[in-house]
PDB file of all heavy atoms in Angstrom:
ATOM      1  N   ILE K  69      -2.737   3.581  -1.890  1.00 90.00           N
ATOM      2  CA  ILE K  69      -2.339   4.332  -0.692  1.00 90.00           C
ATOM      3  C   ILE K  69      -3.062   3.791   0.535  1.00 90.00           C
ATOM      4  O   ILE K  69      -2.471   3.634   1.603  1.00 90.00           O
ATOM      5  CB  ILE K  69      -2.606   5.834  -0.898  1.00 90.00           C
ATOM      6  CG1 ILE K  69      -1.614   6.379  -1.928  1.00 90.00           C
ATOM      7  CG2 ILE K  69      -2.489   6.595   0.409  1.00 90.00           C
ATOM      8  CD1 ILE K  69      -1.879   7.801  -2.340  1.00 90.00           C
ATOM      9  N   TRP K  70      -4.348   3.472   0.396  1.00 88.00           N
ATOM     10  CA  TRP K  70      -5.100   2.914   1.525  1.00 88.00           C
ATOM     11  C   TRP K  70      -4.513   1.560   1.944  1.00 88.00           C
ATOM     12  O   TRP K  70      -4.365   1.283   3.133  1.00 88.00           O
ATOM     13  CB  TRP K  70      -6.564   2.747   1.141  1.00 88.00           C
ATOM     14  CG  TRP K  70      -7.358   2.051   2.202  1.00 88.00           C
ATOM     15  CD1 TRP K  70      -7.810   2.565   3.370  1.00 88.00           C
ATOM     16  CD2 TRP K  70      -7.758   0.678   2.190  1.00 88.00           C
ATOM     17  NE1 TRP K  70      -8.477   1.601   4.076  1.00 88.00           N
ATOM     18  CE2 TRP K  70      -8.459   0.435   3.385  1.00 88.00           C
ATOM     19  CE3 TRP K  70      -7.591  -0.358   1.283  1.00 88.00           C
ATOM     20  CZ2 TRP K  70      -8.982  -0.813   3.678  1.00 88.00           C
ATOM     21  CZ3 TRP K  70      -8.118  -1.588   1.576  1.00 88.00           C
ATOM     22  CH2 TRP K  70      -8.806  -1.805   2.775  1.00 88.00           C
ATOM     23  N   TYR K  71      -4.161   0.735   0.973  1.00 86.00           N
ATOM     24  CA  TYR K  71      -3.617  -0.594   1.277  1.00 86.00           C
ATOM     25  C   TYR K  71      -2.291  -0.476   2.026  1.00 86.00           C
ATOM     26  O   TYR K  71      -2.076  -1.167   3.014  1.00 86.00           O
ATOM     27  CB  TYR K  71      -3.427  -1.376  -0.027  1.00 86.00           C
ATOM     28  CG  TYR K  71      -2.737  -2.698   0.160  1.00 86.00           C
ATOM     29  CD1 TYR K  71      -3.410  -3.789   0.684  1.00 86.00           C
ATOM     30  CD2 TYR K  71      -1.396  -2.860  -0.175  1.00 86.00           C
ATOM     31  CE1 TYR K  71      -2.775  -5.003   0.860  1.00 86.00           C
ATOM     32  CE2 TYR K  71      -0.758  -4.064  -0.011  1.00 86.00           C
ATOM     33  CZ  TYR K  71      -1.449  -5.134   0.502  1.00 86.00           C
ATOM     34  OH  TYR K  71      -0.817  -6.326   0.676  1.00 86.00           O
ATOM     35  N   TRP K  72      -1.411   0.379   1.576  1.00 83.00           N
ATOM     36  CA  TRP K  72      -0.104   0.485   2.215  1.00 83.00           C
ATOM     37  C   TRP K  72      -0.168   1.180   3.563  1.00 83.00           C
ATOM     38  O   TRP K  72       0.665   0.937   4.433  1.00 83.00           O
ATOM     39  CB  TRP K  72       0.899   1.189   1.303  1.00 83.00           C
ATOM     40  CG  TRP K  72       1.337   0.270   0.214  1.00 83.00           C
ATOM     41  CD1 TRP K  72       1.012   0.358  -1.091  1.00 83.00           C
ATOM     42  CD2 TRP K  72       2.142  -0.901   0.343  1.00 83.00           C
ATOM     43  NE1 TRP K  72       1.569  -0.687  -1.785  1.00 83.00           N
ATOM     44  CE2 TRP K  72       2.273  -1.473  -0.937  1.00 83.00           C
ATOM     45  CE3 TRP K  72       2.768  -1.525   1.415  1.00 83.00           C
ATOM     46  CZ2 TRP K  72       3.000  -2.631  -1.161  1.00 83.00           C
ATOM     47  CZ3 TRP K  72       3.491  -2.676   1.187  1.00 83.00           C
ATOM     48  CH2 TRP K  72       3.601  -3.218  -0.089  1.00 83.00           C
ATOM     49  N   ASN K  73      -1.150   2.049   3.760  1.00 80.00           N
ATOM     50  CA  ASN K  73      -1.278   2.701   5.064  1.00 80.00           C
ATOM     51  C   ASN K  73      -2.019   1.853   6.078  1.00 80.00           C
ATOM     52  O   ASN K  73      -1.918   2.100   7.276  1.00 80.00           O
ATOM     53  CB  ASN K  73      -1.976   4.055   4.925  1.00 80.00           C
ATOM     54  CG  ASN K  73      -1.052   5.095   4.379  1.00 80.00           C
ATOM     55  OD1 ASN K  73       0.163   4.988   4.481  1.00 80.00           O
ATOM     56  ND2 ASN K  73      -1.620   6.123   3.774  1.00 80.00           N
ATOM     57  N   SER K  74      -2.793   0.875   5.626  1.00 73.00           N
ATOM     58  CA  SER K  74      -3.564   0.079   6.571  1.00 73.00           C
ATOM     59  C   SER K  74      -2.867  -1.217   6.974  1.00 73.00           C
ATOM     60  O   SER K  74      -3.422  -1.981   7.749  1.00 73.00           O
ATOM     61  CB  SER K  74      -4.929  -0.280   5.978  1.00 73.00           C
ATOM     62  OG  SER K  74      -4.756  -1.166   4.891  1.00 73.00           O
ATOM     63  N   ARG K  75      -1.684  -1.480   6.466  1.00 70.00           N
ATOM     64  CA  ARG K  75      -1.014  -2.716   6.853  1.00 70.00           C
ATOM     65  C   ARG K  75      -0.556  -2.630   8.309  1.00 70.00           C
ATOM     66  O   ARG K  75      -0.306  -1.553   8.840  1.00 70.00           O
ATOM     67  CB  ARG K  75       0.162  -3.015   5.935  1.00 70.00           C
ATOM     68  CG  ARG K  75       1.274  -2.021   6.035  1.00 70.00           C
ATOM     69  CD  ARG K  75       2.379  -2.362   5.075  1.00 70.00           C
ATOM     70  NE  ARG K  75       3.476  -1.436   5.309  1.00 70.00           N
ATOM     71  CZ  ARG K  75       4.697  -1.664   4.966  1.00 70.00           C
ATOM     72  NH1 ARG K  75       5.006  -2.767   4.361  1.00 70.00           N
ATOM     73  NH2 ARG K  75       5.632  -0.794   5.212  1.00 70.00           N
ATOM     74  N   ARG K  76      -0.450  -3.760   8.906  1.00 66.00           N
ATOM     75  CA  ARG K  76      -0.106  -3.803  10.332  1.00 66.00           C
ATOM     76  C   ARG K  76       1.386  -3.623  10.540  1.00 66.00           C
ATOM     77  O   ARG K  76       2.200  -4.105   9.776  1.00 66.00           O
ATOM     78  CB  ARG K  76      -0.517  -5.144  10.928  1.00 66.00           C
ATOM     79  CG  ARG K  76      -1.977  -5.337  10.973  1.00 66.00           C
ATOM     80  CD  ARG K  76      -2.291  -6.634  11.627  1.00 66.00           C
ATOM     81  NE  ARG K  76      -3.727  -6.828  11.698  1.00 66.00           N
ATOM     82  CZ  ARG K  76      -4.294  -7.840  12.279  1.00 66.00           C
ATOM     83  NH1 ARG K  76      -3.557  -8.770  12.833  1.00 66.00           N
ATOM     84  NH2 ARG K  76      -5.589  -7.952  12.296  1.00 66.00           N
ATOM     85  N   ARG K  77       1.702  -2.962  11.597  1.00 66.00           N
ATOM     86  CA  ARG K  77       3.093  -2.840  12.020  1.00 66.00           C
ATOM     87  C   ARG K  77       3.207  -3.647  13.314  1.00 66.00           C
ATOM     88  O   ARG K  77       2.625  -3.292  14.330  1.00 66.00           O
ATOM     89  CB  ARG K  77       3.458  -1.393  12.263  1.00 66.00           C
ATOM     90  CG  ARG K  77       3.240  -0.518  11.043  1.00 66.00           C
ATOM     91  CD  ARG K  77       4.196   0.631  11.048  1.00 66.00           C
ATOM     92  NE  ARG K  77       3.901   1.668  10.100  1.00 66.00           N
ATOM     93  CZ  ARG K  77       4.058   1.573   8.797  1.00 66.00           C
ATOM     94  NH1 ARG K  77       4.446   0.450   8.279  1.00 66.00           N
ATOM     95  NH2 ARG K  77       3.806   2.580   8.003  1.00 66.00           N
ATOM     96  N   ALA K  78       3.948  -4.729  13.263  1.00 64.00           N
ATOM     97  CA  ALA K  78       4.017  -5.657  14.388  1.00 64.00           C
ATOM     98  C   ALA K  78       5.113  -5.232  15.363  1.00 64.00           C
ATOM     99  O   ALA K  78       6.187  -4.797  14.978  1.00 64.00           O
ATOM    100  CB  ALA K  78       4.306  -7.063  13.886  1.00 64.00           C
ATOM    101  N   VAL K  79       4.809  -5.369  16.628  1.00 64.00           N
ATOM    102  CA  VAL K  79       5.793  -5.165  17.687  1.00 64.00           C
ATOM    103  C   VAL K  79       5.878  -6.478  18.444  1.00 64.00           C
ATOM    104  O   VAL K  79       4.895  -6.953  19.004  1.00 64.00           O
ATOM    105  CB  VAL K  79       5.381  -4.026  18.637  1.00 64.00           C
ATOM    106  CG1 VAL K  79       6.367  -3.912  19.776  1.00 64.00           C
ATOM    107  CG2 VAL K  79       5.283  -2.723  17.881  1.00 64.00           C
ATOM    108  N   VAL K  80       7.054  -7.071  18.440  1.00 64.00           N
ATOM    109  CA  VAL K  80       7.270  -8.347  19.105  1.00 64.00           C
ATOM    110  C   VAL K  80       8.010  -8.082  20.403  1.00 64.00           C
ATOM    111  O   VAL K  80       9.065  -7.464  20.414  1.00 64.00           O
ATOM    112  CB  VAL K  80       8.098  -9.301  18.209  1.00 64.00           C
ATOM    113  CG1 VAL K  80       8.343 -10.612  18.913  1.00 64.00           C
ATOM    114  CG2 VAL K  80       7.399  -9.507  16.878  1.00 64.00           C
ATOM    115  N   VAL K  81       7.430  -8.522  21.501  1.00 64.00           N
ATOM    116  CA  VAL K  81       8.043  -8.315  22.812  1.00 64.00           C
ATOM    117  C   VAL K  81       8.440  -9.678  23.362  1.00 64.00           C
ATOM    118  O   VAL K  81       7.611 -10.567  23.514  1.00 64.00           O
ATOM    119  CB  VAL K  81       7.064  -7.610  23.779  1.00 64.00           C
ATOM    120  CG1 VAL K  81       7.698  -7.480  25.151  1.00 64.00           C
ATOM    121  CG2 VAL K  81       6.662  -6.271  23.225  1.00 64.00           C
ATOM    122  N   ASN K  82       9.724  -9.823  23.632  1.00 61.00           N
ATOM    123  CA  ASN K  82      10.252 -11.041  24.239  1.00 61.00           C
ATOM    124  C   ASN K  82      10.649 -10.707  25.671  1.00 61.00           C
ATOM    125  O   ASN K  82      11.498  -9.868  25.913  1.00 61.00           O
ATOM    126  CB  ASN K  82      11.487 -11.543  23.487  1.00 61.00           C
ATOM    127  CG  ASN K  82      11.163 -11.934  22.070  1.00 61.00           C
ATOM    128  OD1 ASN K  82      10.056 -12.378  21.788  1.00 61.00           O
ATOM    129  ND2 ASN K  82      12.106 -11.752  21.166  1.00 61.00           N
ATOM    130  N   GLN K  83      10.017 -11.384  26.603  1.00 62.00           N
ATOM    131  CA  GLN K  83      10.342 -11.126  28.002  1.00 62.00           C
ATOM    132  C   GLN K  83      10.649 -12.459  28.661  1.00 62.00           C
ATOM    133  O   GLN K  83       9.813 -13.355  28.707  1.00 62.00           O
ATOM    134  CB  GLN K  83       9.173 -10.438  28.703  1.00 62.00           C
ATOM    135  CG  GLN K  83       9.511 -10.004  30.090  1.00 62.00           C
ATOM    136  CD  GLN K  83       8.385  -9.172  30.683  1.00 62.00           C
ATOM    137  OE1 GLN K  83       7.343  -9.031  30.094  1.00 62.00           O
ATOM    138  NE2 GLN K  83       8.631  -8.643  31.867  1.00 62.00           N
ATOM    139  N   ALA K  84      11.884 -12.554  29.162  1.00 59.00           N
ATOM    140  CA  ALA K  84      12.304 -13.788  29.818  1.00 59.00           C
ATOM    141  C   ALA K  84      11.797 -13.801  31.247  1.00 59.00           C
ATOM    142  O   ALA K  84      11.579 -12.765  31.869  1.00 59.00           O
ATOM    143  CB  ALA K  84      13.817 -13.902  29.797  1.00 59.00           C
ATOM    144  N   ARG K  85      11.602 -14.978  31.768  1.00 58.00           N
ATOM    145  CA  ARG K  85      11.176 -15.120  33.164  1.00 58.00           C
ATOM    146  C   ARG K  85      12.352 -14.872  34.096  1.00 58.00           C
ATOM    147  O   ARG K  85      13.494 -15.142  33.756  1.00 58.00           O
ATOM    148  CB  ARG K  85      10.631 -16.518  33.390  1.00 58.00           C
ATOM    149  CG  ARG K  85       9.405 -16.771  32.567  1.00 58.00           C
ATOM    150  CD  ARG K  85       8.862 -18.117  32.830  1.00 58.00           C
ATOM    151  NE  ARG K  85       7.703 -18.337  31.975  1.00 58.00           N
ATOM    152  CZ  ARG K  85       6.812 -19.255  32.193  1.00 58.00           C
ATOM    153  NH1 ARG K  85       6.941 -20.072  33.209  1.00 58.00           N
ATOM    154  NH2 ARG K  85       5.799 -19.384  31.388  1.00 58.00           N
ATOM    155  N   PRO K  86      12.060 -14.377  35.268  1.00 57.00           N
ATOM    156  CA  PRO K  86      13.159 -14.138  36.210  1.00 57.00           C
ATOM    157  C   PRO K  86      13.847 -15.463  36.574  1.00 57.00           C
ATOM    158  O   PRO K  86      13.194 -16.484  36.746  1.00 57.00           O
ATOM    159  CB  PRO K  86      12.478 -13.540  37.435  1.00 57.00           C
ATOM    160  CG  PRO K  86      11.070 -13.257  37.047  1.00 57.00           C
ATOM    161  CD  PRO K  86      10.788 -13.973  35.794  1.00 57.00           C
ATOM    162  N   GLY K  87      15.130 -15.391  36.667  1.00 56.00           N
ATOM    163  CA  GLY K  87      15.899 -16.582  37.024  1.00 56.00           C
ATOM    164  C   GLY K  87      16.985 -16.227  38.018  1.00 56.00           C
ATOM    165  O   GLY K  87      17.272 -15.060  38.262  1.00 56.00           O
ATOM    166  N   VAL K  88      17.568 -17.220  38.575  1.00 55.00           N
ATOM    167  CA  VAL K  88      18.629 -17.012  39.549  1.00 55.00           C
ATOM    168  C   VAL K  88      19.946 -17.293  38.856  1.00 55.00           C
ATOM    169  O   VAL K  88      20.196 -18.392  38.378  1.00 55.00           O
ATOM    170  CB  VAL K  88      18.448 -17.933  40.775  1.00 55.00           C
ATOM    171  CG1 VAL K  88      19.596 -17.728  41.750  1.00 55.00           C
ATOM    172  CG2 VAL K  88      17.106 -17.667  41.425  1.00 55.00           C
ATOM    173  N   VAL K  89      20.793 -16.261  38.798  1.00 56.00           N
ATOM    174  CA  VAL K  89      22.104 -16.413  38.177  1.00 56.00           C
ATOM    175  C   VAL K  89      23.134 -15.868  39.160  1.00 56.00           C
ATOM    176  O   VAL K  89      23.121 -14.682  39.476  1.00 56.00           O
ATOM    177  CB  VAL K  89      22.193 -15.643  36.837  1.00 56.00           C
ATOM    178  CG1 VAL K  89      23.588 -15.745  36.259  1.00 56.00           C
ATOM    179  CG2 VAL K  89      21.162 -16.171  35.853  1.00 56.00           C
ATOM    180  N   GLY K  90      23.992 -16.706  39.644  1.00 58.00           N
ATOM    181  CA  GLY K  90      25.068 -16.282  40.538  1.00 58.00           C
ATOM    182  C   GLY K  90      24.575 -15.696  41.856  1.00 58.00           C
ATOM    183  O   GLY K  90      25.193 -14.792  42.395  1.00 58.00           O
ATOM    184  N   GLY K  91      23.465 -16.160  42.342  1.00 55.00           N
ATOM    185  CA  GLY K  91      23.001 -15.702  43.638  1.00 55.00           C
ATOM    186  C   GLY K  91      22.051 -14.516  43.567  1.00 55.00           C
ATOM    187  O   GLY K  91      21.467 -14.127  44.554  1.00 55.00           O
ATOM    188  N   GLY K  92      21.885 -13.898  42.371  1.00 54.00           N
ATOM    189  CA  GLY K  92      20.980 -12.756  42.258  1.00 54.00           C
ATOM    190  C   GLY K  92      19.866 -13.054  41.252  1.00 54.00           C
ATOM    191  O   GLY K  92      19.921 -14.008  40.496  1.00 54.00           O
ATOM    192  N   THR K  93      18.859 -12.261  41.280  1.00 54.00           N
ATOM    193  CA  THR K  93      17.756 -12.428  40.348  1.00 54.00           C
ATOM    194  C   THR K  93      17.995 -11.550  39.122  1.00 54.00           C
ATOM    195  O   THR K  93      18.300 -10.369  39.259  1.00 54.00           O
ATOM    196  CB  THR K  93      16.419 -12.022  41.004  1.00 54.00           C
ATOM    197  OG1 THR K  93      16.260 -12.804  42.186  1.00 54.00           O
ATOM    198  CG2 THR K  93      15.253 -12.252  40.081  1.00 54.00           C
ATOM    199  N   VAL K  94      17.854 -12.152  37.948  1.00 54.00           N
ATOM    200  CA  VAL K  94      18.077 -11.426  36.693  1.00 54.00           C
ATOM    201  C   VAL K  94      16.788 -11.478  35.875  1.00 54.00           C
ATOM    202  O   VAL K  94      16.219 -12.535  35.662  1.00 54.00           O
ATOM    203  CB  VAL K  94      19.231 -12.060  35.882  1.00 54.00           C
ATOM    204  CG1 VAL K  94      19.391 -11.350  34.558  1.00 54.00           C
ATOM    205  CG2 VAL K  94      20.509 -12.033  36.681  1.00 54.00           C
ATOM    206  N   THR K  95      16.344 -10.330  35.466  1.00 55.00           N
ATOM    207  CA  THR K  95      15.189 -10.250  34.581  1.00 55.00           C
ATOM    208  C   THR K  95      15.646  -9.600  33.281  1.00 55.00           C
ATOM    209  O   THR K  95      16.210  -8.512  33.297  1.00 55.00           O
ATOM    210  CB  THR K  95      14.055  -9.405  35.199  1.00 55.00           C
ATOM    211  OG1 THR K  95      13.716  -9.971  36.452  1.00 55.00           O
ATOM    212  CG2 THR K  95      12.849  -9.368  34.297  1.00 55.00           C
ATOM    213  N   GLU K  96      15.414 -10.289  32.196  1.00 57.00           N
ATOM    214  CA  GLU K  96      15.837  -9.782  30.896  1.00 57.00           C
ATOM    215  C   GLU K  96      14.605  -9.311  30.139  1.00 57.00           C
ATOM    216  O   GLU K  96      13.593  -9.987  30.078  1.00 57.00           O
ATOM    217  CB  GLU K  96      16.524 -10.898  30.111  1.00 57.00           C
ATOM    218  CG  GLU K  96      16.960 -10.478  28.733  1.00 57.00           C
ATOM    219  CD  GLU K  96      17.567 -11.635  27.961  1.00 57.00           C
ATOM    220  OE1 GLU K  96      18.059 -12.587  28.580  1.00 57.00           O
ATOM    221  OE2 GLU K  96      17.514 -11.576  26.744  1.00 57.00           O
ATOM    222  N   TYR K  97      14.700  -8.136  29.548  1.00 55.00           N
ATOM    223  CA  TYR K  97      13.593  -7.593  28.771  1.00 55.00           C
ATOM    224  C   TYR K  97      14.146  -7.063  27.447  1.00 55.00           C
ATOM    225  O   TYR K  97      15.040  -6.238  27.423  1.00 55.00           O
ATOM    226  CB  TYR K  97      12.913  -6.456  29.545  1.00 55.00           C
ATOM    227  CG  TYR K  97      11.791  -5.809  28.786  1.00 55.00           C
ATOM    228  CD1 TYR K  97      10.555  -6.429  28.680  1.00 55.00           C
ATOM    229  CD2 TYR K  97      11.967  -4.587  28.156  1.00 55.00           C
ATOM    230  CE1 TYR K  97       9.534  -5.839  27.988  1.00 55.00           C
ATOM    231  CE2 TYR K  97      10.943  -3.994  27.457  1.00 55.00           C
ATOM    232  CZ  TYR K  97       9.729  -4.613  27.378  1.00 55.00           C
ATOM    233  OH  TYR K  97       8.718  -4.035  26.681  1.00 55.00           O
ATOM    234  N   ARG K  98      13.603  -7.583  26.361  1.00 59.00           N
ATOM    235  CA  ARG K  98      14.014  -7.114  25.036  1.00 59.00           C
ATOM    236  C   ARG K  98      12.765  -6.785  24.239  1.00 59.00           C
ATOM    237  O   ARG K  98      11.784  -7.501  24.291  1.00 59.00           O
ATOM    238  CB  ARG K  98      14.796  -8.179  24.277  1.00 59.00           C
ATOM    239  CG  ARG K  98      16.152  -8.490  24.861  1.00 59.00           C
ATOM    240  CD  ARG K  98      16.839  -9.500  24.012  1.00 59.00           C
ATOM    241  NE  ARG K  98      15.958 -10.687  23.917  1.00 59.00           N
ATOM    242  CZ  ARG K  98      16.221 -11.746  23.181  1.00 59.00           C
ATOM    243  NH1 ARG K  98      17.301 -11.796  22.463  1.00 59.00           N
ATOM    244  NH2 ARG K  98      15.406 -12.764  23.143  1.00 59.00           N
ATOM    245  N   GLU K  99      12.844  -5.738  23.480  1.00 60.00           N
ATOM    246  CA  GLU K  99      11.749  -5.384  22.580  1.00 60.00           C
ATOM    247  C   GLU K  99      12.303  -5.293  21.173  1.00 60.00           C
ATOM    248  O   GLU K  99      13.298  -4.623  20.932  1.00 60.00           O
ATOM    249  CB  GLU K  99      11.132  -4.039  22.978  1.00 60.00           C
ATOM    250  CG  GLU K  99       9.971  -3.655  22.106  1.00 60.00           C
ATOM    251  CD  GLU K  99       9.300  -2.388  22.568  1.00 60.00           C
ATOM    252  OE1 GLU K  99       9.168  -2.178  23.774  1.00 60.00           O
ATOM    253  OE2 GLU K  99       8.921  -1.613  21.699  1.00 60.00           O
TER     254      GLU K  99
END
Side-chain angles (χ1 to χ4, degrees):
I69 290 173
W70 174 76
Y71 174 76
W72 285 109
N73 283 337
S74 67
R75 66 182 185 159
R76 293 183 179 184
R77 302 209 192 288
V79 176
V80 179
V81 177
N82 297 329
Q83 187 173 6
R85 297 182 182 198
V88 178
V89 176
T93 304
V94 177
T95 303
E96 178 183 336
Y97 178 77
R98 292 182 304 176
E99 182 175 321

